[in-house]
């Protein structure tokens, strides 16, 4: 079969050979088209106008219940079987298919619009020697395209040339990784020489051979062959689709990958259809119901056979059998007749109602003003309507760091200069004053070159610098000189700094405001404006940073001829290289560093050293020899750096705040109280990730221990994980206890569950990417899972997008818990798609994560509202709805079952046909929808006050197989009362005028009226939160029932449609009898009293957390606002890390002789056009408790 399918696919052109290498030639479309590479059009839609109907119907009938109802409809068309009219199934089925079809069509229409919007963007393409403005979707592999400043990159391009010196371009990769700092890409010199010459570019015939399409964002391998020469290509020469060109007037690129082959689309991964655990459970239950239905029908069919043999012959005089019909055939037909009659145990309206409830709860998320972020005009958005109740069952959250927990904005916060700390405010009694938005800011108007967006509150530091304090001035002079920042001055005094990391930019901006303005640089000089006076320093050497050195130095010569080495770096590294005379100052500075670390700030130590001219001349000669050596260059340079960077004099320390998003620590604290575990999976390095862990209160000083797993071998990782586990739980067995079970439809799926193990105290685990790669291997993954799940906090750093997804899959597989992943960049897409629920952070530039997510909003803090309020309510409502729905339908159906014993098992219905048709569609549809859309046990403020209310959802307490069995037992009891009480009451009863009342029609009317009263009363008992809508639906449904009943049983309807309305006059004859109303009252009382008594006893003996909180709500009304706590000062010996770049610095580029090539100067737009963006404003954010504030104070 497989070979036949493959052959057919080849005939249709669908079979695509897997690409092993991409080979393309510039400006040669016929050559490139011969390889059938994908063009640049993208398609995310599922249907077109011709395929919609067949494909959508096929998808809908794959749902078990829909196929079942189609089968029922076909059965009802057979006259020998059907005891009900065909419309009782056809009307609901068509309604269900139509509603779902319209919803699917609308979703796909939106996907078509989104695709068209992207595909119809315009770009300049070089075709036949001229630039033509083409649509993105018409761009082909091998085309050369021109991009301009602030344009999106059209496809994955090989950079050929640019307007910038050294063929550099600046790109913002926010859409790929959520980071807003600029990245630098550089073209090959051989292609860069073409510049913007159209003739040279049109004549370019280079051939590229490279890797096939893949999803690795950080790697690219290939070669360019030009004029017989081969040049190596790497990731620095490639611009990826989804990036934005910044600060670069123009650039030209050669299209390598287009559309679905681009790394952005490859990272999108395959969209899997996510279904909630309740969906899976419902499928299993529907299967069980089918079995139960078959059992009931079999019992009644056997009953029919027995009755036909024993009693049936007596009735043949009145009801002659059809020729050839015997007891066996009658029994067989009776079986299928009862399948039709009892089909309401699987009501088709169940699925429509579930969709409506989910849609309604999705709208609540979209409309929630407390999740709207006015700064970026970004509301919360439920992009998927099928997962709401799963938001109330989350056990594990996997979060990205950059852009998700943090804003990726650095601010210069505090500093220590010559043993004195600056940046804090104290009152007259010496108490620390909390800084708020109202606190007076330092006035920098005396410095016309100051950055107006820079904020600082400690006036004493400005006074110190302006008084000419030598240490303070040396401190800021160092910050203005020791860096690799590139300046850009558009207008006089309007400086823009391009920094490789945001920390660098923050420190240089601080120096600028305090009077030491870094103005410009050339390869040989640095120009600084010191307290209004321009000073040009000669730049002799840049000792660049990397991950091993963890420091950076510059050697400069002042105009007076004084030689100085300025150095900044991690405290442990700098302290080893200080002169012994600094020991006392070092002690004081260490105390300040501990305070800064306790506040979660990123620290850096500054030091300097005056150099001798003779020594410097000799050192520079040796440095030149080492840097031009063919062998051992790195080692020789390291030795020289070590030699000169010693006996340094300590100046002080800086503290930079990696600004968290508003309310992140409080949100994490709330979620932890709800027993949700948060794991941070970040591409950042260990120091940065740890630092954010402390800032967010995920890692705390009071934790018993924080384990670091950083081994580089599988054995080392195993040993570190086992040692950590043994420390936390010494009595635990060496082998994990894995429970195997069967689950899923037909119990075909095997599940493996690793049980949680009890641990004393709180622990943290930090694991890096190398170690994680070993830990995720088959033989170590359970060890990783056991150890990690014992810890309160887990942080994985330097992880790849694929590893993020693997960690999520591991927890999903062995914990059987509901997972949520939250991120903001393309590197989080695989994790977002792997988790049960994916949340995208929107509002920054990056939208790739949002496009792949199920829910999106602008700030991490809204996650607590999404889960603790919307998620919990959705889960509660859905469970209540299912319990009630199954109750009312089983009760309805069981009455039929009992009636069978009194009607010769003839499949006669106990109710009127129109009541059967309208029961689920009209009479009971709206009241249950009202409860399922508006009900809440407690309001949102109490939900925040008691996050513990969330835990029942994690344990699946409200709807499970046990709850379903309880529903069936309850229904069985109610149906017995509903059938036998009216039957016994009516059996020998007469009317007021002495006539008999006990005919079939009167009994049917009484039974259905009792049923409707009972199910509505039960609904009222289940409703905790009454609104005008609920009241209208309940009373309106009863009114509709009586209105329809009197209409259907009227003389007029009988005269028009005699065969369709046989119950003429029954309503007015029965419902005017007092004994009928007394029977209705007694039946309702007998059904409801036991439920009330049982619930009362349960609340008294075993109250749940909901019962306790609801009791408190009745007593107190509103929760008391939490007292405002000033942030507590922590002192930490743990040192936070400065965000040195993950790669080598720009030192070589800065000192390059070709650094500033003269190009025609043209005006360029400002880098950040959005003046209100967080990066541009760089304003401080102040945390506050969100949960207890009144509504208007929610928005920042």
């Amino acid at each position: 079969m497989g070979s036949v399918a493959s052959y057919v696919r080849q005939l249709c052109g669908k079979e695509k050979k897997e690409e092993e290498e991409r080979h393309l030639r510039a400006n040669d479309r016929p050559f490139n088209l011969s390889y059938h590479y994908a063009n640049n059009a993208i398609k995310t839609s599922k249907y077109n106008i011709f395929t919609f109907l067949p494909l959508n119907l096929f998808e809908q009938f794959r749902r078990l219940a829909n196929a079942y109802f189609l089968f029922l409809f076909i059965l009802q068309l057979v006259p020998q079987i059907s005891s009900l009219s065909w419309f009782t199934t056809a009307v609901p089925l068509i309604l269900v298919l139509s509603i779902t079809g319209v919803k699917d069509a609308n979703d796909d229409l939106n996907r078509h619009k989104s695709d068209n919007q992207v595909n119809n963007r315009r770009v300049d393409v070089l075709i036949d020697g001229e630039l033509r403005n083409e649509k993105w979707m018409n761009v082909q592999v091998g085309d050369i395209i021109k991009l301009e400043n602030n344009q999106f990159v059209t496809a994955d391009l090989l950079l050929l040339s640019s307007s910038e010196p050294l063929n550099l371009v600046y790109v913002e990769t926010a859409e790929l990784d959520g980071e807003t700092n600029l990245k630098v890409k550089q073209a090959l010199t051989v292609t860069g020489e073409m510049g913007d010459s159209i003739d040279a570019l049109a004549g370019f015939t280079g051939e590229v051979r490279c890797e096939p399409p893949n999803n690795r964002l950080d790697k690219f391998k290939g070669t360019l062959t030009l004029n017989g020469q081969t040049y190596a290509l790497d990731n620095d020469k490639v611009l990826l689709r989804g990036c934005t060109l910044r600060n670069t007037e123009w650039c030209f690129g050669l299209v390598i990958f287009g559309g679905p082959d681009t790394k952005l689309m490859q990272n999108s991964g395959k969209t899997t259809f996510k279904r909630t655990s309740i969906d899976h459970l419902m499928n299993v239950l529907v299967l069980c119901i089918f079995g139960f239905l078959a059992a009931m029908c079999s019992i009644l069919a056997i009953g029919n056979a027995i009755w036909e043999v024993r009693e049936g012959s007596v009735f043949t005089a009145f009801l002659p059998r059809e020729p050839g019909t015997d007891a066996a055939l009658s029994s067989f037909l009776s079986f299928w007749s009862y399948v039709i009659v009892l089909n309401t145990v699987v009501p088709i309206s169940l699925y429509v109602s579930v969709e409506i409830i989910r849609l309604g709860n999705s709208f609540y998320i979209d409309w929630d003003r407390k999740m709207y972020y006015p700064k970026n005009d970004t509301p919360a958005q439920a992009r998927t309507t099928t997962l709401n109740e799963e938001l109330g069952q989350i056990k594990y959250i996997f979060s990205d760091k950059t852009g998700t927990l943090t804003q990726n904005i650095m601010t210069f916060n505090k500093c220590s200069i010559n043993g004195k700390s600056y940046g804090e405010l104290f009152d007259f009694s010496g108490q620390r004053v909390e800084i708020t938005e109202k606190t007076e800011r330092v006035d920098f108007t005396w410095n016309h070159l100051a950055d107006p967006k820079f904020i600082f509150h400690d006036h004493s530091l400005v006074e110190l610098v302006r008084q000419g304090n030598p240490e303070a001035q040396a401190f800021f002079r160092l910050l203005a000189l020791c860096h690799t920042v590139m300046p850009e001055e558009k207008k006089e005094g309007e400086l823009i700094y391009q920094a490789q990391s945001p920390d660098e930019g923050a420190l240089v901006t601080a120096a600028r405001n305090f009077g030491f303005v870094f103005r410009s640089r050339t390869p040989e000089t640095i120009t600084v404006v010191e307290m209004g006076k321009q000073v040009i320093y000669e730049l002799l050497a840049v000792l660049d940073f990397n991950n091993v050195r963890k420091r950076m130095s510059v050697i400069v010569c002042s105009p007076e001829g004084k030689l100085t080495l300025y150095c900044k770096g991690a405290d442990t590294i700098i302290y080893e290289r200080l002169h012994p005379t600094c020991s006392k100052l070092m002690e004081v500075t260490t105390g300040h560093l501990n305070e800064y670390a306790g506040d979660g700030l990123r620290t850096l130590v500054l030091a300097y050293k005056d150099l001798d001219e003779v020594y410097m001349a000799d050192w520079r000669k040796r440095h030149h020899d080492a840097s031009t050596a063919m062998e051992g260059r790195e080692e020789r340079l390291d030795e020289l750096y070590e030699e000169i960077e010693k006996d340094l004099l300590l100046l002080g320390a800086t503290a930079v705040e990696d600004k968290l998003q508003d309310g992140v620590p409080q949100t994490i604290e709330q979620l932890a109280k709800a027993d949700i575990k948060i794991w941070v999976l970040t591409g950042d390095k260990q120091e940065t990730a740890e630092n954010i862990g402390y800032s967010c209160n995920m890692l705390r000083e009071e934790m018993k221990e924080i384990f670091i797993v950083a081994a580089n071998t599988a054995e080392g990782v195993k040993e570190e994980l086992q040692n950590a586990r043994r420390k936390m739980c010494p009595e635990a067995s060496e082998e994990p206890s894995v429970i195997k079970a069967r689950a899923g439809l037909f119990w075909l799926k095997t599940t493996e569950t690793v049980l949680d193990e009890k641990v004393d105290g709180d622990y943290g685990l930090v694991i890096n990417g190398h170690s994680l790669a070993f830990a995720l291997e088959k033989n170590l993954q359970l060890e990783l899972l056991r150890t990690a799940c014992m810890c309160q906090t887990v942080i994985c750093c330097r992880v790849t997008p694929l590893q993020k997804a693997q960690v999520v899959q591991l927890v999903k597989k062995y914990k059987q818990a509901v997972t949520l992943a939250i991120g903001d960049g393309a590197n989080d897409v695989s994790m977002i798609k792997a988790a049960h629920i994916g949340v995208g952070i929107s509002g920054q530039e990056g939208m790739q994560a949002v496009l792949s997510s199920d829910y999106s909003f602008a700030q991490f803090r809204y996650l607590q509202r999404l889960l603790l309020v919307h998620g919990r309510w959705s889960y509660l409502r859905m469970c209540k709805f299912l319990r009630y729905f199954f109750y009312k339908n089983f009760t309805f159906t069981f009455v039929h079952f009992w009636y069978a014993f009194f009607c010769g098992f003839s499949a006669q219905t106990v109710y009127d046909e129109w009541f059967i048709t309208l029961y689920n569609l009209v009479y009971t549809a709206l009241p249950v929808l009202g409860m399922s859309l508006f009900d809440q046990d407690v309001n949102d403020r109490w939900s925040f006050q008691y996050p513990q209310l969330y835990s029942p959802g994690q344990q699946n307490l409200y709807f499970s197989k046990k709850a379903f069995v309880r529903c069936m037992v309850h229904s069985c009891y109610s149906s017995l009362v509903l059938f036998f009480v009216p039957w016994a009451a009516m059996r020998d009863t007469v009317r007021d005028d002495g006539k008999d009342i006990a005919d079939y029609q009167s009994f049917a009317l009484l039974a259905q009226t009792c049923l409707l009263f009972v199910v509505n009363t039960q609904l009222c008992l289940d409703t905790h939160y009454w609104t005008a809508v609920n009241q209208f639906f309940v009373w309106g449904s009863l009114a509709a029932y009586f209105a329809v009943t009197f209409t259907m049983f009227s003389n007029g309807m009988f005269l028009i449609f005699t065969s369709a309305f046989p119950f003429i006059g029954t309503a007015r004859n029965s419902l005017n009898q007092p004994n009928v109303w007394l029977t209705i009252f007694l039946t309702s009382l007998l059904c409801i009293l036991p439920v009330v008594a049982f619930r009362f006893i349960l609340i008294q003996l075993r109250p749940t957390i909901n019962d306790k909180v609801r009791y408190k709500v009745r007593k107190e009304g509103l929760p008391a606002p939490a007292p405002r706590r000033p942030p507590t000062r922590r002192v930490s010996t743990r040192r936070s890390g400065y965000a040195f770049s993950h790669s080598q610095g720009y030192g070589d580029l800065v000192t390059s002789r070709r650094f500033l090539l003269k190009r025609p100067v043209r005006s360029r737009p400002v880098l950040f056009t959005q003046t209100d963006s967080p990066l541009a404003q760089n304003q401080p954010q102040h945390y506050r408790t969100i949960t207890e504030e009144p509504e208007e104070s929610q928005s920042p």
Side-chain angles (χ1 to χ4, degrees), residues 69 73 80 115 178 230 251 385 391 519 527 547 549 569 990 1082:
F69 281 105
F73 173 64
Q80 288 87 348
D115 289 349
T230 302
C251 75
T385 58
L391 288 170
R519 195 73 181 266
T527 303
N547 271 340
R549 281 171 43 75
V990 292
L1082 284 174

Side-chain angles (χ1 to χ4, degrees), residues 345-549:
V345 283
V346 189
I348 192 162
S349 58
L350 170 69
Y351 288 97
V352 183
S353 304
V354 164
E355 292 299 324
I356 292 169
I357 292 162
R358 286 173 172 165
L359 193 65
N361 285 316
S362 299
F363 281 133
Y364 291 153
I365 294 169
D366 293 345
W367 298 336
D368 192 343
R369 288 172 59 191
K370 292 181 183 178
M371 290 170 70
Y372 168 71
Y373 190 53
K375 195 172 186 181
N376 291 356
D377 186 26
T378 311
Q381 191 180 6
R383 299 173 54 81
T384 306
T385 58
T386 54
L387 301 172
N388 296 333
E389 67 269 16
E390 198 126 272
L391 288 170
Q393 298 179 276
I394 304 296
K395 184 69 182 170
Y396 289 89
I397 292 175
F398 300 93
S399 173
D400 177 40
K401 182 194 76 69
T402 309
T404 303
L405 298 176
T406 66
Q407 301 176 34
N408 207 28
I409 297 173
M410 307 294 167
T411 54
F412 180 82
N413 202 297
K414 295 172 187 170
C415 62
S416 168
I417 303 175
N418 198 28
K420 189 170 188 315
S421 180
Y422 299 92
E424 291 185 328
L425 300 180
F426 298 90
D427 59 18
F428 294 112
S429 62
Q431 292 294 310
R432 193 160 67 112
V433 176
E434 189 185 351
I435 292 171
T436 65
E437 288 180 16
K438 293 177 182 174
T439 307
E440 189 189 352
R441 298 174 183 177
V442 171
D443 181 11
F444 288 108
T445 50
W446 57 272
N447 177 3
H448 73 282
L449 290 174
D451 182 351
K453 294 183 285 291
F454 180 82
I455 293 168
F456 201 74
H457 297 93
D458 189 350
H459 294 73
S460 61
L461 182 56
V462 185
E463 289 160 16
L464 189 76
V465 176
R466 294 187 72 181
Q467 285 164 10
N469 181 283
E471 287 87 3
Q473 295 203 346
F475 180 91
F476 287 110
R477 186 178 293 115
L478 186 154
L479 292 181
L481 294 170
C482 185
H483 53 78
T484 56
V485 171
M486 312 277 191
E488 189 172 6
E489 195 161 358
K490 307 261 191 256
K491 292 190 290 194
E492 177 68 25
E494 206 176 280
L495 282 164
I496 291 177
Y497 292 142
Q498 303 295 346
Q500 187 184 12
S501 76
D503 302 54
E504 288 261 74
L507 294 175
V508 177
T509 302
R512 168 185 173 180
N513 275 61
F514 282 98
F516 287 75
V517 184
F518 167 55
R519 195 73 181 266
S520 64
R521 69 156 82 243
T522 70
E524 296 90 9
T525 64
I526 297 177
T527 303
V528 179
V529 176
E530 297 185 357
M531 307 305 288
K533 180 183 164 192
Q534 182 167 299
V535 182
I536 299 173
Y537 289 88
E538 187 183 350
L539 179 62
L540 303 177
V542 175
L543 284 56
D544 212 351
F545 60 68
N546 58 37
N547 271 340
V548 179
R549 281 171 43 75

Side-chain angles (χ1 to χ4, degrees), residues 169-282:
V169 297
Y170 299 99
V171 289
E172 189 178 273
T173 59
E175 194 150 324
L176 289 170
D177 55 18
E179 294 186 9
T180 47
N181 53 305
L182 299 188
K183 311 283 193 305
V184 175
K185 303 282 182 179
Q186 188 173 21
L188 288 165
T189 308
V190 66
T191 60
E193 286 164 353
M194 295 188 288
D196 57 353
S197 163
I198 300 299
D199 293 337
L201 287 159
F204 177 68
T205 56
E207 285 194 26
V208 173
R209 287 179 184 274
C210 66
E211 60 189 24
N214 60 71
N215 62 359
R216 293 191 298 275
L217 292 170
D218 55 343
K219 286 192 179 134
F220 179 81
K221 285 181 187 170
T223 58
L224 169 70
T225 307
L226 184 64
N227 303 329
Q229 294 284 320
T230 302
Y231 304 91
L233 303 176
D234 58 22
N235 208 38
D236 287 338
K237 316 261 183 307
V238 176
L239 302 182
L240 299 182
R241 178 176 179 143
C243 297
T244 310
L245 198 66
R246 296 288 193 208
N247 243 39
T248 308
E249 196 177 335
W250 53 260
C251 75
F252 285 88
L254 171 67
V255 178
I256 300 173
F257 300 122
D261 291 343
T262 57
K263 295 198 183 247
L264 179 74
M265 295 305 290
Q266 291 276 317
N267 256 295
S268 298
K270 193 176 178 186
T271 303
T272 53
F273 179 60
K274 294 182 178 180
R275 303 182 70 180
T276 66
S277 53
I278 283 183
D279 268 336
H280 291 296
L281 178 59
M282 269 167 59

Side-chain angles (χ1 to χ4, degrees), residues 1092-1108:
V1092 174
F1094 177 73
R1095 290 186 182 179
F1096 175 77
I1097 293 164
L1098 209 61
I1099 287 176
Q1100 298 303 316
L1101 301 180
R1102 287 171 55 194
T1104 61
I1105 176 79
N1106 295 62
D1107 297 329
K1108 291 173 184 174

Side-chain angles (χ1 to χ4, degrees), residues 515-810:
F516 287 75
V517 184
F518 167 55
R519 195 73 181 266
S520 64
R521 69 156 82 243
T522 70
E524 296 90 9
T525 64
I526 297 177
T527 303
V528 179
V529 176
E530 297 185 357
M531 307 305 288
K533 180 183 164 192
Q534 182 167 299
V535 182
I536 299 173
Y537 289 88
E538 187 183 350
L539 179 62
L540 303 177
V542 175
L543 284 56
D544 212 351
F545 60 68
N546 58 37
N547 271 340
V548 179
R549 281 171 43 75
K550 293 189 179 176
R551 64 188 184 280
M552 164 194 185
S553 301
V554 292
I555 301 171
V556 294
C557 178
S558 69
E560 295 83 33
K562 185 179 174 188
L563 294 170
T564 312
L565 177 144
Y566 290 109
C567 182
K568 66 181 183 187
D571 58 326
T572 48
I573 302 292
I574 302 290
Y575 279 179
E576 291 168 5
R577 291 162 176 77
L578 290 180
H579 194 276
T581 55
C582 298
S583 57
K584 193 156 187 180
L585 179 57
M586 191 171 85
E587 278 179 32
V588 179
T589 307
T590 302
H592 293 155
L593 284 169
N594 289 344
E595 285 181 14
Y596 301 158
D599 289 343
L601 305 177
R602 296 152 77 123
T603 56
L604 201 63
V605 171
L606 313 185
Y608 75 101
K609 174 185 180 180
D610 291 326
L611 298 171
D612 178 56
E613 279 185 42
V614 179
Y615 170 75
M616 189 59 205
D618 173 56
W619 187 87
R620 284 185 78 182
K621 183 176 178 304
R622 285 184 289 142
H623 181 263
H624 177 73
D625 294 343
S627 58
T628 53
M630 294 303 288
E631 289 181 12
R633 182 187 303 175
E634 297 295 325
E635 291 79 6
R636 289 177 65 180
L637 284 172
D638 279 343
E639 282 175 24
L640 280 169
Y641 293 171
E642 284 288 341
E643 178 193 311
I644 201 166
E645 289 174 326
K646 61 183 184 187
D647 293 335
L648 303 173
L649 299 174
L650 182 61
L651 270 174
T654 62
V656 171
E657 183 183 2
D658 183 0
K659 293 191 81 65
L660 289 171
Q661 289 191 10
D662 278 5
V664 166
Q666 294 92 327
T667 301
I668 286 171
E669 188 183 341
Q670 284 282 83
L671 295 174
K673 283 180 187 169
D675 198 25
I676 299 172
K677 293 190 174 180
I678 302 177
W679 294 20
V680 174
L681 310 177
T682 177
D684 263 342
K685 62 186 186 26
Q686 188 179 312
E687 292 95 322
T688 315
E690 276 187 60
N691 188 45
I692 292 299
Y694 279 97
S695 303
C696 298
N697 292 333
M698 291 175 69
L699 298 176
R700 297 181 299 280
E701 292 294 320
E702 57 269 21
M703 279 185 164
K704 279 196 172 179
E705 193 165 345
I706 292 159
F707 302 105
I708 310 287
V709 178
N712 288 320
T713 63
E715 291 75 23
V717 171
K718 185 176 183 178
E719 193 179 329
E720 287 182 354
L721 286 171
Q722 285 181 341
N723 289 343
R725 176 173 54 75
R726 286 168 189 151
K727 267 190 183 177
M728 289 187 282
C729 194
E731 67 278 2
S733 63
E734 283 301 304
E735 290 303 312
S737 54
V738 180
I739 294 175
K740 295 192 176 182
R742 313 286 299 178
L745 211 56
F746 301 109
W747 287 265
L748 295 175
K749 190 176 151 197
T750 308
T751 61
E752 295 177 289
T753 310
V754 176
L755 296 175
D756 285 335
E757 291 165 278
K758 290 264 190 259
V759 176
D760 244 356
D762 289 349
Y763 294 88
L765 176 72
V766 179
I767 182 167
N768 68 29
H770 295 301
S771 305
L772 190 62
F774 292 116
L776 287 170
E777 286 173 6
K778 198 100 182 129
N779 57 336
L780 271 183
Q781 57 183 21
L782 285 182
E783 191 62 58
L784 167 70
L785 189 70
R786 283 182 79 191
T787 308
C789 289
M790 287 180 183
C791 298
Q792 189 73 20
T793 299
V794 180
I795 296 177
C796 306
C797 25
R798 303 308 297 271
V799 291
T800 63
L802 181 64
Q803 283 178 330
K804 290 183 176 187
Q806 286 173 330
V807 171
V808 175
Q809 295 283 17
L810 180 66

Side-chain angles (χ1 to χ4, degrees), residues 785-1065:
L785 189 70
R786 283 182 79 191
T787 308
C789 289
M790 287 180 183
C791 298
Q792 189 73 20
T793 299
V794 180
I795 296 177
C796 306
C797 25
R798 303 308 297 271
V799 291
T800 63
L802 181 64
Q803 283 178 330
K804 290 183 176 187
Q806 286 173 330
V807 171
V808 175
Q809 295 283 17
L810 180 66
V811 173
K812 268 176 79 175
K813 183 179 178 183
Y814 288 108
K815 280 293 169 184
Q816 310 304 325
V818 183
T819 57
L820 178 146
I822 180 168
D824 70 325
N827 57 343
D828 303 314
V829 167
S830 53
M831 168 176 83
I832 282 170
K833 288 191 169 176
H836 291 99
I837 288 176
V839 177
I841 298 280
S842 60
Q844 291 290 335
E845 298 287 335
M847 290 301 289
Q848 196 57 30
V850 170
L851 293 174
S852 304
S853 67
D854 305 306
Y855 299 89
S856 68
F857 40 72
Q859 296 277 292
F860 181 83
R861 69 172 186 266
Y862 298 146
L863 184 62
Q864 63 172 331
R865 188 165 180 85
L866 183 74
L867 300 188
L868 302 184
V869 178
H870 292 289
R872 202 177 66 79
W873 282 350
S874 294
Y875 172 70
L876 204 68
R877 289 164 182 165
M878 184 59 75
C879 293
K880 262 192 183 182
F881 165 78
L882 290 171
R883 289 200 308 264
Y884 175 75
F885 209 93
F886 282 124
Y887 165 76
K888 77 181 178 69
N889 279 78
F890 272 110
T891 306
F892 175 90
T893 310
F894 281 155
V895 174
H896 275 302
F897 184 78
W898 309 128
Y899 182 62
F901 292 90
F902 292 82
C903 70
F905 304 96
S906 60
Q908 185 184 15
T909 55
V910 73
Y911 312 116
D912 163 33
E913 272 190 6
W914 285 102
F915 179 79
I916 293 170
T917 308
L918 300 174
Y919 177 72
N920 277 316
L921 284 180
V922 177
Y923 302 149
T924 59
L926 289 178
V928 69
L929 278 179
M931 178 185 75
S932 310
L933 288 172
F934 302 113
D935 201 48
Q936 43 183 270
D937 53 349
V938 293
N939 65 23
D940 54 346
R941 291 179 68 175
W942 282 100
S943 299
F944 280 137
Q945 185 86 350
Y946 292 95
Q948 300 84 350
L949 285 167
Y950 190 80
S951 58
Q954 296 168 328
Q955 298 161 39
N956 243 338
L957 293 184
Y958 292 145
F959 189 73
S960 59
K961 288 171 190 166
K962 279 184 185 173
F964 176 70
V965 171
R966 283 199 296 269
C967 276
M968 282 184 69
V969 173
H970 184 195
S971 298
C972 190
Y973 166 76
S974 295
S975 66
L976 282 165
V977 173
L978 282 165
F979 179 77
F980 286 102
V981 170
W983 173 77
M986 291 291 106
R987 191 175 176 197
D988 297 320
T989 309
V990 292
R991 289 163 48 84
D992 293 346
D993 56 8
K995 291 179 183 175
D996 202 9
I997 201 171
D999 55 60
Y1000 162 67
Q1001 281 97 336
S1002 299
F1003 176 72
L1005 177 69
L1006 178 59
Q1008 65 197 38
T1009 309
C1010 288
L1011 172 72
L1012 212 55
F1013 271 97
V1014 166
V1015 294
N1016 271 312
T1017 313
Q1018 182 65 44
L1019 180 101
C1020 296
L1021 283 181
D1022 287 347
T1023 304
H1024 286 146
Y1025 186 73
W1026 283 94
T1027 64
V1029 179
N1030 290 68
Q1031 298 272 7
F1032 174 73
F1033 283 168
V1034 171
W1035 298 112
S1037 293
L1038 285 171
Y1041 166 69
F1042 285 112
V1044 170
T1045 302
F1046 278 103
T1047 306
M1048 295 292 191
F1049 296 0
S1050 67
N1051 297 13
M1053 295 301 283
F1054 177 72
L1055 291 172
I1056 301 167
F1057 306 103
T1058 308
S1059 61
F1061 299 98
F1063 278 45
I1064 179 171

